[in-house]
Amino acid sequence: MIELRDVWFRYEGSGSPALRGVSLEIRRGEILVVLGSNGAGKSTLLRTLNGLIPHFYPGEMRGRVVVDGLDTREAQVSELARRVGLVFQNPERMFFSETVLEELTFGPLNFGMDVEDARKRALEVAEEMGLTELLSRPPWSLSGGEMKRLSIASVLTMDPAYVALDEPTVGQDAKNKASICSLIRRVREESRGVIVVTHDLEWVVDLEPDRIVLMEGGSIAADGGREILADGSRLREVGLSPPVCAMVSERLGIGPRLTPREVVEGVLAGRGFG
Ligand SMILES: Nc1ncnc2c1ncn2[C@@H]1O[C@H](COP(=O)(O)OP(=O)(O)OP(=O)(O)O)[C@@H](O)[C@H]1O
Ligand SMILES: [Mg+2]
């Protein structure tokens, strides 16, 4: 389990904290989705899970993050990286190899796997992520969507106990979104933990997560099951319009719970409710 206990973080030079008293548990065998508007602190939260915060980001941290008993403040970043694989929001920052294949074998080799096994694992994941045709290409030459898939694949080759993904479906077409969805579900079946940050609510419905957390202004505004997606006022906080909320609720088979005020506002704005 990853446990965050009353975590605060303020980036150096920033007037206000990006995380304000976040307490959260991320369990193995579960998919946890984090929703929230731009600047809510979602990426910052992910950076605390593998020790990037506090080890690489200057700033002031309070509280504790404990990964399977290891306090991230005290643990080596390399030790944390074995347990928590983080797929960045902007993947181009992650690549440093000459070819896609080298990029995919780098992690396993670095963790002590022998060359043949590392290659085998890389080819397996490349196949799952639709990268087989691109193995000899330099990572920088890939399209945005391909880069994103390479960044997901290069984390998966290391088989971390927890996978944290920052907006994995950005730039992906329907087919690739579906592959990412089944990959994430497989990670859950293998009793590993998944935390996914996304703005892609329709995809969240397909993903069938176990838990949903809404972040707002660096804090957790809601933490619960899929019923959160049926709460119109909560979803409005993460920037979704009532018609989208109604569509999502309908697909989930849960009636929308819009407040009378939301209904009036929606009608005044000329919007339907699905
Ligand atoms: N490296 C940094 N240095 C200083 N401030 C930062 C840094 N990264 C993020 N912030 C600030 O911290 C706050 C939270 O940012 P964060 O990137 O965690 O938001 P987010 O929820 O991931 O947003 P988005 O949906 O746009 O990706 C914002 O106010 C942001 O400007
Ligand atoms: Mg972000």
Side-chain angles (χ1 to χ4, degrees):
M1 186 167 71
I2 303 180
E3 241 187 305
L4 284 88
R5 291 186 213 141
D6 195 22
V7 176
W8 292 71
F9 185 73
R10 189 179 56 77
Y11 290 99
E12 195 172 88
S14 171
S16 57
L19 293 180
R20 298 165 180 266
V22 172
S23 292
L24 186 67
E25 285 175 4
I26 302 157
R27 302 182 196 102
R28 292 190 191 219
E30 262 190 22
I31 298 174
L32 168 69
V33 162
V34 182
L35 304 171
S37 50
N38 294 140
K42 304 178 300 296
S43 296
T44 305
L45 169 68
L46 296 191
R47 288 176 194 135
T48 67
L49 304 179
N50 69 347
L52 285 181
I53 289 176
H55 295 286
F56 290 131
Y57 281 84
E60 192 188 335
M61 178 174 162
R62 278 172 25 209
R64 272 156 61 90
V65 179
V66 182
V67 180
D68 288 343
L70 280 179
D71 188 317
T72 56
R73 259 181 217 280
E74 288 145 23
Q76 302 274 348
V77 175
S78 57
E79 215 174 348
L80 293 167
R82 274 175 179 267
R83 289 176 169 81
V84 185
L86 174 58
V87 178
F88 290 81
Q89 186 167 355
N90 304 304
E92 59 278 11
R93 293 193 199 160
M94 282 178 78
F95 308 130
F96 41 82
S97 302
E98 304 269 312
T99 66
V100 168
L101 181 60
E102 277 174 48
E103 190 68 42
L104 290 175
T105 49
F106 177 84
L109 286 174
N110 206 31
F111 287 168
M113 206 184 263
D114 73 49
V115 178
E116 250 335 283
D117 288 345
R119 196 183 149 81
K120 203 170 141 232
R121 183 72 187 122
L123 295 179
E124 245 169 46
V125 177
E127 173 79 38
E128 286 176 326
M129 288 270 71
L131 295 166
T132 310
E133 309 292 308
L134 305 169
L135 289 171
S136 54
R137 292 260 302 270
W140 55 261
S141 75
L142 303 184
S143 75
E146 291 164 348
M147 274 192 196
K148 195 87 200 188
R149 296 209 302 286
L150 174 58
S151 68
I152 297 171
S154 57
V155 162
L156 290 175
T157 53
M158 294 183 269
D159 294 317
Y162 303 91
V163 182
L165 301 119
D166 205 344
E167 304 196 17
T169 62
V170 169
Q172 299 303 322
D173 59 29
K175 178 172 156 274
N176 285 315
K177 276 193 195 185
S179 325
I180 296 170
C181 190
S182 33
L183 260 166
I184 292 179
R185 291 216 200 125
R186 192 156 348 127
V187 173
R188 167 171 63 186
E189 278 159 28
E190 291 163 357
S191 295
R192 298 191 274 147
V194 185
I195 175 167
V196 192
V197 166
T198 184
H199 292 284
D200 191 342
L201 219 84
E202 269 195 85
W203 179 75
V204 171
V205 175
D206 295 335
L207 184 63
E208 298 181 350
D210 300 282
R211 264 169 75 211
I212 294 172
V213 161
L214 298 190
M215 283 193 77
E216 205 190 338
S219 304
I220 292 184
D223 180 350
R226 281 193 289 155
E227 74 282 353
I228 286 183
L229 293 177
D231 190 331
S233 60
R234 287 253 161 86
L235 290 183
R236 286 269 290 266
E237 288 162 14
V238 299
L240 280 147
S241 69
V244 174
C245 303
M247 180 273 297
V248 167
S249 311
E250 199 184 306
R251 283 191 53 192
L252 284 171
I254 323 171
R257 280 190 276 132
L258 300 176
T259 63
R261 187 177 157 181
E262 281 177 316
V263 175
V264 171
E265 280 172 1
V267 171
L268 289 177
R271 291 187 292 230
F273 292 99

